Amino acid sequence: MGRVNGVRETRRGRAGRASLAVLGATAVLLSLSAPGGRYAGHGAVPVADTEPAFPAVNYAVAVDESASLTDADMEVEKAAAKRIALGDVSSSSHVTVFGFAADEGKGRGAVDPVCRRTTLDAAGRETIGDCVGKLRKRKESEGTGTDFPNAIWQGVHDLTEGTDPSQPRVLFLLTDGKLDVKDSKNYGDRPHRVAEGERKLTQALKDAAAQGVQIWPLGFGPAPDHRQLERIAAGGYQKGCTELPSAKPRASKVSGAKDVGSTLERIFAAAHCMRHEEGPEPQRPPSTQKITISPLATVGSIVVDKGDPEVQITYTDPAGHKVPTSGTFHRSAFELAGGNDTVEALKIVDPLPGVWKVRAEAPEGHRSLPVAVSVLWQGELGSAIVMNPPSPRAGDRVTVTMRVQTREGFQIKDPRDYEGLRVRSELTGDGFDPLPLTLTDDGKGEDEKASDGSFTGTAEIPANARGALNASATLTAAGLSADTRDARGTVAPGELPVTTALDLPVADLHPGAEFTGTLDVHNTSGAPHTLKLSVNDLKAGLLSVTPAELTLKAGESATRKVTVKVGPADVFGDRLTDDGLSLAGNVTVVDTTDGNLTLVTSPLAVRVTPEPSVWDKYWWAFLTAAVLIAAAVAAVLALIRLRRARRDPHGLVLRLVDEHGEFLPGEHVAGHGHKQWYEFGVAEAHLSPRIERRAHGPYAVQRNPNGGAVLRRKGGRSALSAAAPVQLTDGLSLALGEETHKPHKSRTGRTTRNGRNGRKAGNFRNGQGGSSSAGATGPTPGADPSGQGSSSSYDQTYL
């Protein structure tokens, strides 16, 4: 469903919504198997008033230390282990790290513990880098084998000894080889060691599955056997932090050690039900890299693999503030770990969504290694669900729409923020078995627009349905806590006494502004009804609706105004940037007289942008004033020139009309004149009258800026036009001829005008002029080649 404008409904249903499900990893699993959620009714806690939860995970990192590794490979493995340990967002998670190879009787055992079980609070995150640094590649004399069974048993021991069984247990296995215990006496005689290694690997995997330990292998380089790694992934515990396919253990393999860090972060995010965003291509310092944090994120870690501990990092939020690395700042809490190590991570609780900038600086001699940036985050889904009509009759079709939003009620515009989202929905009620609902966001059927975060589906109310009705939907995505919502209604037995139609436009406003819609109401009953209006599925204070309550008289039908107002700027805080925020939520109208039955629920689509500054608001006025001041003198001069040009008589066509209203042969085209007046007289007035230019003549014309011309003569001035000739003498009048087009320059620099044929000028006995066109039947001498005036019945050329 796209943005909603003018939604109209005419039936009712019980209003309600589910409170936000803030769930840990195990609770997410339960919500998926049993959709429906809690119903909170009208008194539900506002969407954003629940505290976010950051599920903890127990995990171990097994790092290959065999002699086949290069020194560079070993450093990459260390950095990868630091990246996931520092990038964890839960202060209650625990991690152990150990190296492994094979015990070949040369002074070192199969496993090499370096980090005992460490809680990843502020102190633990700060120390984890030091112990990871104790990992070291084994020498050729210390053995070259790879002992997977003992590595797995060590991980199972570390993850089960004294740990909380309700927390997920995950083992990450990094290796550049495959099972190789042919030189280890712990596997019996040499001829039987390969078979014994396979048997013990099978047993170790069974033990891991029995103890609820997932195994996520990561192989790098040409040696690892991918099929063997897949066997290891499939042999451990298979249920993840959610039932989504992305959380099921699987093997990964990369071609080189350089990809180990980013790949381990990605599979760590999948196993931990987190989301992972890789930054741009690594860059050497000094450099600035950008990384985006989703509006759904409630906690995140910006992980920076510096390569060199001398590299210094600063962080800038989307609002342009350089943020601290500890404490709180603008509603966010910050905690840096590893600042003096090769890998550091800035953990942010309630981060400002948008594009963050990570600036890397380094002194001379420490700029050779590229800096890589990524972000690991967890978040919470919010949603709003609507069933239309809210109180259908048996046999009617209902449309159910669930809109994805943040827990505060902001719309989600980028589909990548909820990639992998699963929607489960069903329709339940009295008198019929649950009906599965398929909600899609593909732009087909009832879904108006694809990939806009609104999932829509339809269902037919069974013929035997009666009483209560509920449309329930659960949203689940990796890294995002599940959200379950209910749209409750009632199967209507017949026509309802009160019907409504709510029309709310799409709005683009500033804080404190408001917009108006309409509510059509019809009360067909013989009693008054009280209706209540409210904004739902939105953080309190962002939007409000008035009137909050209205009363309908018995039999009343009317249209009422409904006003939705945006809250003040401080309600939005730093979340309101220049890009604006899109608010979701719904306006619901219920009939309190009829048991709080929902009459209509209309989705909101309100975009809020910051109040512009004085300059942004009035820049056009400042600019206009500056232009006006700078051009004042020029404007006055131009106005004077314009007034003169508008009165310039040049081109006016003058025609003489006899006492019968007939045009006399010939026409006279006025020149520019003197001071905008073209002076002329009438020659041979009683024989062959014609107009001729005459300085200080008895007559003069100029253009009227409002149209036509003005004739100046003894006794005053008169308006002159083609339709209103002016009498000059007892037998002659003057009229304007028709200007068929404005004069234009020819290629020789002259102007041309076509001749005209004569027509009757009209009846002037009552002072009214008729329509007229210029023209004579024959040529008349006297063309004025100077352009100051001419008379002719044929085409004339002016210099």
Side-chain angles (χ1 to χ4, degrees):
M1 183 183 72
R3 296 201 299 171
V4 180
N5 188 356
V7 174
R8 305 181 71 85
E9 300 296 338
T10 59
R11 295 198 178 273
R12 67 181 180 178
R14 292 193 181 275
R17 71 173 193 266
S19 60
L20 181 66
V22 182
L23 305 172
T26 56
V28 170
L29 186 60
L30 290 174
S31 73
L32 287 168
S33 62
R38 292 180 295 132
Y39 172 62
H42 289 292
V45 175
V47 174
D49 287 358
T50 50
E51 288 298 324
F54 313 134
V57 172
N58 283 321
Y59 58 96
V61 185
V63 180
D64 195 334
E65 291 182 323
S66 61
S68 59
L69 292 165
T70 66
D71 291 338
D73 291 344
M74 192 71 244
E75 292 304 315
V76 167
E77 285 188 302
K78 291 180 182 180
K82 293 177 184 178
R83 285 173 71 159
I84 64 172
L86 296 178
D88 198 335
V89 297
S90 174
S91 298
S92 301
S93 289
H94 299 85
V95 64
T96 61
V97 181
F98 60 88
F100 75 96
D103 183 0
E104 298 177 359
K106 299 178 180 179
R108 294 187 69 176
V111 297
D112 182 17
V114 293
C115 296
R116 302 293 181 182
R117 188 166 181 262
T118 304
T119 302
L120 290 175
D121 53 16
R125 293 175 74 231
E126 197 60 49
T127 61
I128 197 71
D130 292 336
C131 61
V132 169
K134 297 176 182 177
L135 290 166
R136 67 179 183 87
K137 183 187 75 168
R138 300 196 180 191
K139 301 176 182 177
E140 290 283 345
S141 59
E142 295 175 314
T144 59
T146 305
D147 189 343
F148 288 150
N150 273 298
I152 293 171
W153 274 318
Q154 181 68 40
V156 170
H157 174 269
D158 290 345
L159 293 170
T160 57
E161 187 71 22
T163 62
D164 184 350
S166 67
Q167 294 180 347
R169 298 165 173 173
V170 183
L171 171 63
F172 298 100
L173 185 70
L174 279 64
T175 182
D176 75 333
K178 56 186 176 181
L179 178 63
D180 180 7
V181 291
K182 64 180 181 298
D183 293 327
S184 177
K185 296 180 181 179
N186 293 335
Y187 288 84
D189 297 335
R190 182 175 290 275
H192 304 98
R193 290 175 182 170
V194 174
E196 181 64 8
E198 291 291 337
R199 187 189 70 79
K200 287 189 175 183
L201 177 58
T202 300
Q203 185 59 49
L205 293 174
K206 288 182 179 179
D207 292 344
Q211 295 293 331
V213 176
Q214 299 178 34
I215 307 176
W216 293 71
L218 171 58
F220 58 94
D225 182 344
H226 193 263
R227 291 184 61 184
Q228 187 177 71
L229 297 180
E230 288 286 5
R231 172 191 169 194
I232 293 173
Y237 189 66
Q238 293 302 292
K239 292 184 178 181
C241 54
T242 177
E243 285 186 346
L244 293 172
S246 59
K248 184 178 181 180
R250 61 187 181 276
S252 299
K253 183 179 177 181
V254 295
S255 58
K258 66 180 179 64
D259 297 319
V260 169
S262 59
T263 305
L264 183 59
E265 270 188 345
R266 177 173 50 80
I267 64 176
F268 172 73
H272 199 343
C273 278
M274 300 176 67
R275 298 185 71 95
H276 173 247
E277 299 289 341
E278 193 70 26
E281 192 69 21
Q283 302 175 22
R284 293 183 177 87
S287 63
T288 299
Q289 300 188 55
K290 296 179 180 180
I291 193 77
T292 301
I293 296 182
S294 166
L296 289 172
T298 53
V299 63
S301 283
I302 300 177
V303 182
V304 184
D305 189 345
K306 303 183 291 186
D308 190 323
E310 294 298 320
V311 175
Q312 299 297 312
I313 304 296
T314 55
Y315 304 86
T316 303
D317 70 15
H321 303 128
K322 184 180 291 186
V323 300
T325 54
S326 63
T328 59
F329 179 76
H330 286 205
R331 302 186 185 181
S332 299
F334 299 89
E335 179 185 295
L336 181 70
N340 297 320
D341 207 337
T342 57
V343 176
E344 71 173 58
L346 181 65
K347 176 181 172 181
I348 313 170
V349 178
D350 199 14
L352 185 63
V355 178
W356 286 69
K357 295 180 181 179
V358 180
R359 177 67 179 174
E361 301 277 359
E364 290 289 344
H366 297 272
R367 301 176 180 174
S368 61
L369 298 178
V371 175
V373 179
S374 58
V375 63
L376 291 160
W377 61 274
Q378 285 181 326
E380 293 180 359
L381 281 169
S383 61
I385 188 170
V386 176
M387 178 172 61
N388 284 319
S391 291
R393 291 172 291 188
D396 287 350
R397 292 196 70 82
V398 295
T399 299
V400 177
T401 299
M402 194 172 196
R403 180 164 56 175
V404 180
Q405 59 189 46
T406 69
R407 60 195 180 107
E408 292 92 350
F410 303 138
Q411 292 185 33
I412 303 299
K413 295 296 186 181
D414 190 345
R416 293 177 300 177
D417 288 331
Y418 52 88
E419 184 178 4
L421 183 70
R422 175 188 291 180
V423 182
R424 291 186 177 183
S425 182
E426 66 176 4
L427 184 68
T428 59
D430 297 338
F432 65 94
D433 294 331
L435 295 176
L437 280 172
T438 301
L439 305 184
T440 62
D441 186 18
D442 56 7
K444 299 178 181 178
E446 294 296 324
D447 188 64
E448 295 181 3
K449 184 179 179 181
S451 301
D452 68 343
S454 289
F455 295 77
T456 305
T458 62
E460 182 177 321
I461 304 301
N464 56 343
R466 62 184 185 279
L469 191 65
N470 181 49
S472 176
T474 299
L475 300 178
T476 310
L480 300 170
S481 63
D483 187 45
T484 299
R485 298 280 162 160
D486 294 325
R488 297 180 184 267
T490 301
V491 179
E495 293 299 327
L496 303 174
V498 177
T499 59
T500 61
L502 180 60
D503 189 346
L504 295 174
V506 173
D508 194 336
L509 303 171
H510 302 307
E514 59 187 36
F515 68 95
T516 301
T518 59
L519 177 66
D520 294 336
V521 292
H522 305 279
N523 180 11
T524 60
S525 72
H529 280 248
T530 299
L531 308 185
K532 181 180 178 181
L533 288 75
S534 61
V535 176
N536 302 308
D537 300 307
L538 192 66
K539 181 181 177 182
L542 296 181
L543 293 178
S544 61
V545 60
T546 55
E549 186 175 282
L550 58 89
T551 300
L552 304 180
K553 298 178 182 178
E556 179 183 357
S557 293
T559 297
R560 303 290 186 90
K561 287 186 177 181
V562 175
T563 301
V564 178
K565 184 174 183 179
V566 181
D570 57 2
V571 174
F572 298 91
D574 281 350
R575 296 305 192 260
L576 187 59
T577 63
D578 290 340
D579 294 333
L581 290 170
S582 295
L583 301 183
N586 303 302
V587 172
T588 300
V589 182
V590 300
D591 187 349
T592 60
T593 305
D594 200 4
N596 285 334
L597 294 177
T598 301
L599 301 178
V600 62
T601 297
S602 179
L604 286 164
V606 182
R607 184 171 181 269
V608 181
T609 53
E611 185 73 28
S613 65
V614 174
W615 168 254
D616 290 335
K617 198 171 183 178
Y618 299 107
W619 64 267
W620 55 271
F622 294 135
L623 183 60
T624 301
V627 171
L628 289 176
I629 292 173
V633 175
V636 171
L637 295 176
L639 180 61
I640 294 173
R641 288 194 297 269
L642 178 61
R643 288 175 61 86
R644 289 178 177 176
R646 292 176 65 187
R647 297 182 182 276
D648 189 347
H650 180 263
L652 287 174
V653 178
L654 307 179
R655 301 293 304 273
L656 292 176
V657 182
D658 64 17
E659 67 271 19
H660 303 295
E662 297 287 346
F663 282 116
L664 296 180
E667 65 181 17
H668 185 90
V669 181
H672 290 291
H674 176 65
K675 294 183 179 180
Q676 288 81 51
W677 287 100
Y678 180 77
E679 298 170 334
F680 65 94
V682 178
E684 301 182 23
H686 301 290
L687 297 175
S688 178
R690 68 179 184 279
I691 298 172
E692 65 179 12
R693 177 179 177 84
R694 187 181 301 172
H696 308 295
Y699 310 110
V701 293
Q702 69 174 195
R703 288 187 187 276
N704 186 337
N706 297 320
V710 176
L711 174 65
R712 186 185 69 191
R713 57 183 174 161
K714 185 178 180 181
R717 300 180 183 185
S718 303
L720 182 66
S721 69
V726 177
Q727 189 171 3
L728 301 180
T729 66
D730 290 341
L732 291 175
S733 296
L734 180 69
L736 287 181
E738 181 180 1
E739 293 184 72
T740 57
H741 58 79
K742 291 185 179 298
H744 63 275
K745 292 290 183 179
S746 70
R747 293 183 180 179
T748 60
R750 297 178 297 174
T751 62
T752 63
R753 179 178 298 279
N754 293 328
R756 296 170 173 80
N757 294 324
R759 295 182 182 177
K760 190 176 181 64
N763 186 355
F764 305 105
R765 294 177 182 176
N766 56 4
Q768 300 295 321
S771 62
S772 64
S773 298
T777 58
T780 299
D784 185 356
S786 68
Q788 297 300 310
S790 64
S791 299
S792 178
S793 60
Y794 52 86
D795 287 353
Q796 298 192 24
T797 302
Y798 304 96
L799 295 176

